[in-house]
């Protein structure tokens, strides 16, 4: 995942310096059009937002689960009613098709609904056994809100990903200060304003329970060191380290959801049509700019060639663009085009070849689907997060070999296994060192609100 603390030199969000207060512009990645101008919040503005949030947090926690549920469900209804407007905002800032933006919002609504309705049952006080030595005592376990949670969101899923932290933090009784990516600040502003409108217009509440701070990397750094009670960060592993360093002075705990190099495993008995369809969607949707997107595929040798035929057939139907008929949009972050180009060149230089597309698939800001085969295990395309519409496919002797190769990556976010043998699928899923695994589906875990979300190693730690 790209992040907003890694610097803005390659970002379409353009800083404007020299004014009384620094500003930056949000720019359409598809057309280059300036969409809006926002202020760069610094230490003073971030500190003020956190102070306001502390007062609001006390009031919000005091409402209790039921009153918070009513407010969050009202917000859910607002998001549902104005889904089209929000989808247009996401489309303008990221370039993704309106259908993809709408699907992202629908998934967000499902999670918000689940958080609102289940917070009490998950977090309510409950008795626990006292043990033989303390049999004449009773013991109670209960969860208290942390207070103020800072959320630093990404640009690739500017509604679904930050709301995975915002919605659950609010449901648990916390106030939130939200710093969206500089590439999708308008989307973040829309979310914060909509919640404020619901609180004031429906319930007459004026407390700033959810606040927005805007800016570039420096703003995220200020939020990380502001002394909030927890930081929820989504972005690259390199930027996660910067967030951890900034939060260290105040011993602020951090939830880090970082990048991935997710593998999809295809067994010899798998439904090849379903597997090929899953790879096409998992690798190419959102122009491959998905942390849990499919970047590596390991296929049983016995079905490698028929699988490749089916995959190429699926990819032949896809076309990037800005129009309504496009399968996916542009690369939102211009600098990511350079990463894709470097990975393709490195793979070919090492003896790999393109079974679909190739170096000429890069037509900035668009990249056509690319499938790489015969790629050396130590190449950048196999080791680093590409974050573009590129996937490698490797034949393997067995499912066990596929698991071994999948686990060789320093990333451990999501994965998928395709096999008709239930026991083999579960066994492989348990052997994969990933935070989440789908069996005979792809990325399904992200749509189930009751499941935690997160990874380990270079993919971060903690669970949403």
């Amino acid at each position: 995942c790209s992040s907003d603390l890694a610097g803005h030199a390659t970002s379409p969000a353009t800083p404007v310096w020299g004014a009384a207060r620094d500003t930056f512009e949000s720019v359409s990645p598809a057309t280059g059009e300036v969409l809006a101008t926002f202020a760069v919040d610094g230490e003073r503005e971030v500190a003020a937002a956190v102070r306001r949030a502390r007062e609001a947090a006390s009031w919000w926690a005091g409402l209790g689960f039921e009153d918070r549920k009513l407010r969050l469900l009202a917000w859910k209804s607002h998001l549902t009613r104005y889904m089209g407007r929000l989808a247009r905002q996401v489309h303008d800032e990221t370039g993704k098709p309106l259908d993809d933006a709408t699907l992202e919002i629908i998934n967000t609504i499902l999670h918000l609904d689940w958080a609102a309705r289940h917070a009490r049952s998950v977090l309510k006080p409950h008795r626990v056994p006292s043990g033989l030595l303390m049999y004449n005592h009773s013991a109670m376990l209960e969860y208290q809100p942390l207070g103020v949670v800072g959320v630093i969101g990404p640009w690739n899923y500017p509604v679904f990903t930050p709301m995975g932290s915002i919605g659950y933090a609010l449901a648990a009784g916390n106030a939130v200060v939200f710093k969206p990516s500089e590439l999708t600040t308008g989307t973040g502003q829309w979310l914060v304003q909509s919640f404020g409108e619901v609180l004031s217009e429906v319930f007459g509440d004026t407390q700033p329970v959810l606040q927005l701070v805007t800016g570039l990397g420096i703003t995220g750094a200020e939020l990380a060191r502001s002394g909030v009670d927890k930081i929820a960060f989504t972005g690259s592993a390199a930027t996660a380290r910067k967030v951890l360093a900034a939060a260290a002075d105040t011993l602020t705990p951090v939830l880090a959801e970082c990048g991935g190099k997710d593998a999809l495993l295809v067994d010899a008995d798998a439904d090849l049509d379903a597997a090929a369809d899953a790879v096409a969607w998992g690798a190419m949707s959102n122009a491959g700019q998905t942390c849990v997107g499919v970047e590596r595929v390991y296929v049983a040798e016995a079905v490698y060639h028929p699988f490749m035929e089916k995959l190429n057939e699926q990819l032949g139907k896809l076309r990037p663009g800005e129009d309504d008929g496009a399968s996916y949009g542009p690369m939102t972050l211009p600098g990511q085009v350079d990463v894709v180009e470097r990975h393709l060149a490195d793979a070919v230089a090492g003896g790999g070849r393109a079974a679909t597309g190739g170096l000429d698939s890069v037509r900035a800001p668009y990249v056509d689907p690319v499938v790489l085969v015969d790629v050396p295990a130590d190449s950048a395309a196999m080791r680093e997060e590409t974050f573009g519409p590129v996937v490698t496919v490797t034949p393997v002797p067995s499912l066990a070999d596929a698991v071994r190769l999948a686990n060789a990556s320093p990333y451990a976010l999501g994965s998928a296994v395709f096999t008709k043998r239930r026991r083999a699928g579960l066994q492989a899923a348990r052997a994969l060192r990933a935070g989440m695994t789908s069996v005979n589906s792809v990325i399904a875990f992200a749509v189930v609100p009751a499941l935690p979300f997160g990874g380990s190693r270079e993919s971060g730690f903690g669970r949403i």
Side-chain angles (χ1 to χ4, degrees), residues 172-436:
N174 301 286
V176 175
V177 179
F178 174 34
K179 194 283 182 191
S181 166
E182 64 268 28
L183 307 188
T184 52
T185 302
T187 300
Q189 183 182 61
W190 197 102
L191 289 170
V192 172
Q193 288 180 346
S194 68
F195 185 61
E197 289 171 7
V198 168
L199 288 189
S200 62
E201 295 175 8
V202 180
F203 299 96
D205 301 333
T206 58
Q207 293 281 356
V209 178
L210 173 60
Q211 294 180 79
L212 181 79
V213 291
T214 63
L216 307 175
I218 187 174
T219 307
E222 292 296 345
L223 182 57
R225 64 171 62 99
S226 67
V228 293
D229 299 291
K230 190 166 189 176
I231 288 286
F233 166 79
T234 303
S236 69
T239 305
R241 290 178 171 87
K242 297 179 182 179
V243 172
L244 288 167
D249 287 344
T250 52
L251 288 180
T252 301
V254 176
L255 183 157
E257 194 266 283
C258 305
K261 192 70 181 175
D262 288 11
L264 186 147
L265 284 52
V266 183
D267 201 1
D269 69 343
D271 182 333
L272 298 186
D273 289 310
D277 182 69
V279 172
W281 187 81
M284 305 299 161
S285 61
N286 202 32
Q289 300 168 123
T290 303
C291 298
V292 288
V294 177
E295 294 208 6
R296 296 176 295 150
V297 179
Y298 297 101
V299 186
E301 292 172 345
V303 295
Y304 174 72
H305 293 294
F307 171 81
M308 288 298 295
E309 290 176 3
K310 293 178 183 297
L311 177 59
N312 287 329
E313 181 182 355
Q314 290 282 349
L315 297 183
K317 305 172 186 177
L318 304 183
R319 176 182 60 81
E322 196 205 4
D323 57 285
D324 292 340
S327 307
Y328 58 84
M331 303 296 288
T332 306
L333 186 66
Q336 204 63 34
V337 176
D338 299 333
V339 175
V340 171
E341 232 169 2
R342 176 171 62 83
H343 284 196
L344 295 180
D346 182 68
V348 172
R353 60 184 178 86
T356 299
L359 279 169
D360 58 355
S361 298
V362 180
R363 306 176 289 106
Y366 300 100
V367 179
D368 295 322
V370 178
V371 177
L372 296 173
V373 297
D374 302 329
V375 182
D378 61 350
S379 71
M382 294 293 280
R383 297 288 296 173
E384 301 174 13
E385 184 180 36
T386 305
F387 220 55
V390 178
V391 64
T392 65
V393 182
T394 305
V396 292
S398 67
L399 193 59
D401 290 294
V403 170
R404 177 179 55 81
L405 291 170
N407 285 340
S409 172
Y411 293 98
L413 192 52
S415 57
V417 181
F418 276 77
T419 179
K420 292 179 180 176
R421 298 176 295 149
R422 175 179 171 81
R423 180 177 296 180
L426 290 175
Q427 184 178 7
R430 290 174 179 136
L432 285 163
R433 285 192 302 223
M436 305 139 308

Side-chain angles (χ1 to χ4, degrees), residues 10-196:
T10 59
S11 166
T14 306
V16 180
W17 311 111
R21 187 171 172 194
D22 295 334
T23 61
F24 65 98
E25 294 173 340
S26 175
V27 179
S28 165
T31 66
E33 174 192 1
V34 175
L35 302 173
T37 300
F38 299 95
V40 176
D41 289 333
E43 180 181 4
R44 181 178 60 183
E45 291 78 21
V46 171
V50 172
R51 283 196 301 270
R52 292 190 297 267
R54 293 218 173 276
E55 296 180 7
S58 178
W59 169 81
W60 182 248
L63 287 179
F65 289 112
E66 192 60 32
D67 283 341
R68 289 197 297 269
K69 181 177 83 170
L70 292 175
R71 285 158 174 79
L72 291 174
L73 291 179
W75 190 23
K76 181 204 79 169
S77 297
H78 183 94
L79 295 177
T80 304
R81 181 178 181 182
Y82 296 105
M83 188 185 308
R85 296 183 187 178
L86 181 54
R88 173 58 65 177
Q89 178 70 43
V90 173
H91 165 77
D92 290 346
E93 289 194 309
T94 67
K96 69 175 64 179
L98 284 171
D99 286 348
D100 286 3
T102 301
L103 178 61
E104 176 183 348
I105 297 166
I106 291 172
N107 287 336
T108 302
I109 289 168
L110 292 174
H111 276 262
L112 183 59
D113 180 83
W114 195 93
R117 296 184 188 277
H118 290 83
R120 179 194 291 274
S121 62
V122 172
L123 300 174
K124 69 182 179 182
H126 61 279
R127 295 277 298 272
V128 295
S130 303
L132 182 61
L133 184 63
M134 304 295 288
Y135 74 96
N136 60 328
H137 290 254
S138 63
M140 181 77 71
L141 175 64
E142 62 180 65
Y143 299 91
Q144 297 292 337
L146 293 172
V148 180
V149 175
V151 176
I152 301 175
W155 49 263
N156 57 331
Y157 290 92
V159 177
F160 179 69
T161 302
M163 282 293 290
S165 296
I166 292 170
Y168 288 94
L170 291 173
N174 301 286
V176 175
V177 179
F178 174 34
K179 194 283 182 191
S181 166
E182 64 268 28
L183 307 188
T184 52
T185 302
T187 300
Q189 183 182 61
W190 197 102
L191 289 170
V192 172
Q193 288 180 346
S194 68
F195 185 61

